[in-house]
Amino acid sequence: MATHNIVVIGASYAGLGTAHYLLRHTIPSLEKANASSSSIYKLTLISATTHFYHKVGAPRFLASPDLIPLSKAFLPIADGFTSYPSSKFELIIGEAHSLNDTTKTIAIKPTYDSSSPPTSISYDTLILATGASSDSPLWSIPGSHETTISALKSTQSALPTAKTVLIAGGGPAGVETAGEIASLFPKTDITLLSGSDRLLTRLRPALGAAAQSQLEALGVKVVHITRAKSATSHITGENTGTEVVLDDGTVKVVDVYISATGILPNTSFLPASWLTSKNYVITRDTTSLRGPVDGVYAIGDVAGYSLGGALDIMDAVRPLCATVLNDLSKGEMGKVGAFKQTVTETQLVPVGPKGGVGSVFGWRVPSFVVWVVKSRDFMIGMVEGTVKGDKFVRA
């Protein structure tokens, strides 16, 4: 029998949700409709790491080991796919090294064995869900999840004795991190560099100002416009710290430096013709989520359509899989153009453990709502369900 290989690259929120939906609904629908044909379908999930990381909770994880155990933040990806037979599913741990769009093959470099040569994987249908990476392992896994665990533990160990903390980045990660640290260590000198003229630039100015007021009430100094240009860790005698050079030429030496300054798409292995000018994967429209060429799709932070955030992922899984079903069934099943992107202001940003600021579908929400939804436990309860694809049990 001929096997149609569906390959999903990336096993964070977007890749896990898509893989589960395809395995539970799309592939069974195709095989039921084509019961008399000789084609079978198999899904291969390629992940650079063995563990899923709930990076949403990073600001709380890094602040203290006593708040949320790291064992709850990292779960084995394989544990979420035990119900699928090996004839239908395979998990490959490795990093996509290169892609040949002529032969439809992907070279996979093993994550945990650098001495081994890349292996080649063929695809007929390809879903790109590789996400984006930060320059700090606190926010994304650079290969082995142990690297991120080590970075989190190192920060946890340094904070109790730190006299000075500098955080670069005025987005949600920076604001949330400043709030968590200030709440736990009120005597520490904490500075947040927004890198802009205000905090939380994706929200209305009033909400950024509210976040700044809440941070200042916790003792955080907020500095606008200035950015961190470089940072170098150093050890002098018994003293350790980081030397940070700012873009105005100022040099600061601080006990703890945390970079939360943005992300870059994980697309270095893809053909240049598949990418936008900012190296995101081209999506031909924002309703079908079809990628730059037939049989290729993109979802989540790596996709050109994405505005970032959880809604752009969770709301896109079903529509993406419907498009895949439509394409593979040659228009007989599935609905194309079902994705309706949320473009109204939606973001919740905790500022410490008791609340924060936010907006949902353009409506400003009180601090209490931020606490209920996110600040209380940074949604740690959703981790196991994310790995198991609980949101996509039903079609």
Side-chain angles (χ1 to χ4, degrees):
M1 287 187 177
T3 299
H4 185 101
N5 295 308
I6 301 174
V7 175
V8 178
I9 308 180
S12 191
Y13 303 95
L16 291 173
T18 300
H20 278 295
Y21 194 97
L22 290 170
L23 286 163
R24 287 176 179 153
H25 308 294
T26 306
I27 290 177
S29 294
L30 287 165
E31 292 185 334
K32 182 179 180 180
N34 300 316
S36 61
S37 74
S38 59
S39 294
I40 60 174
Y41 296 85
K42 180 178 180 179
L43 187 144
T44 300
L45 178 61
I46 299 172
S47 172
T49 178
T50 57
H51 285 61
F52 168 76
Y53 174 39
H54 183 59
K55 61 183 180 181
V56 170
R60 185 154 297 169
F61 303 152
L62 65 83
S64 171
D66 301 324
L67 300 176
I68 301 176
L70 292 183
S71 59
K72 292 185 176 182
F74 297 84
L75 290 185
I77 293 166
D79 288 359
F81 291 86
T82 56
S83 63
Y84 306 113
S86 59
S87 60
K88 296 298 179 187
F89 174 77
E90 181 180 7
L91 173 63
I92 295 177
I93 304 302
E95 183 179 356
H97 181 66
S98 62
L99 183 147
N100 187 318
D101 55 341
T102 301
T103 60
K104 291 189 174 182
T105 55
I106 309 157
I108 306 299
K109 186 176 181 180
T111 301
Y112 298 92
D113 185 3
S114 59
S115 62
S116 296
T119 58
S120 182
I121 303 296
S122 298
Y123 68 88
D124 298 295
T125 297
L126 177 65
I127 292 97
L128 298 168
T130 48
S133 295
S134 165
D135 63 355
S136 167
L138 293 170
W139 315 109
S140 56
I141 299 178
S144 170
H145 70 289
E146 294 292 348
T147 302
T148 295
I149 290 176
S150 177
L152 290 167
K153 288 183 175 180
S154 177
T155 306
Q156 291 171 347
S157 299
L159 285 173
T161 58
K163 294 181 180 180
T164 54
V165 174
L166 180 63
I167 303 165
V175 170
E176 292 169 0
T177 299
E180 291 295 314
I181 296 174
S183 297
L184 284 173
F185 307 103
K187 295 183 179 180
T188 302
D189 183 343
I190 303 169
T191 301
L192 174 63
L193 305 178
S194 75
S196 181
D197 59 353
R198 62 186 181 90
L199 298 176
L200 305 175
T201 55
R202 288 189 58 192
L203 293 174
R204 70 193 76 169
L207 290 175
Q212 179 168 337
S213 294
Q214 291 182 27
L215 286 174
E216 290 173 342
L218 292 171
V220 177
K221 301 173 185 175
V222 179
V223 178
H224 295 300
I225 305 300
T226 307
R227 296 172 180 262
K229 187 176 180 181
S230 66
T232 305
S233 298
H234 66 86
I235 301 175
T236 304
E238 297 181 355
N239 298 318
T240 63
T242 301
E243 181 180 275
V244 183
V245 179
L246 307 182
D247 60 1
D248 63 1
T250 303
V251 177
K252 289 184 175 292
V253 177
V254 295
D255 296 320
V256 175
Y257 170 70
I258 298 172
S259 173
T261 54
I263 56 176
L264 293 174
N266 297 319
T267 57
S268 61
F269 67 99
L270 295 174
S273 60
W274 287 18
L275 306 178
T276 69
S277 60
K278 294 184 178 180
N279 292 322
Y280 290 87
V281 178
I282 293 170
T283 43
R284 283 177 274 177
D285 56 70
T286 58
T287 56
S288 74
L289 307 181
R290 291 187 177 108
V293 297
D294 290 345
V296 176
Y297 310 82
I299 184 171
D301 290 344
V302 75
Y305 77 87
S306 180
L307 299 175
L311 288 180
D312 255 12
I313 295 173
M314 306 313 291
D315 289 353
V317 169
R318 286 182 174 85
L320 169 65
C321 294
T323 298
V324 172
L325 178 61
N326 184 272
D327 290 346
L328 294 183
S329 68
K330 298 182 179 180
E332 294 183 5
M333 295 183 290
K335 181 181 179 181
V336 178
F339 179 52
K340 307 298 181 185
Q341 190 171 39
T342 300
V343 295
T344 52
E345 180 187 60
T346 299
Q347 194 173 71
L348 299 178
V349 184
V351 184
K354 297 181 180 180
V357 302
S359 176
V360 176
F361 303 125
W363 294 91
R364 181 172 181 171
V365 298
S367 179
F368 173 75
V369 172
V370 180
W371 177 80
V372 170
V373 177
K374 190 174 181 182
S375 177
R376 177 169 43 178
D377 62 1
F378 275 81
M379 299 184 284
I380 195 66
M382 69 180 285
V383 177
E384 184 175 355
T386 299
V387 174
K388 293 182 177 181
D390 286 354
K391 288 186 177 294
F392 305 106
V393 171
R394 295 183 180 182

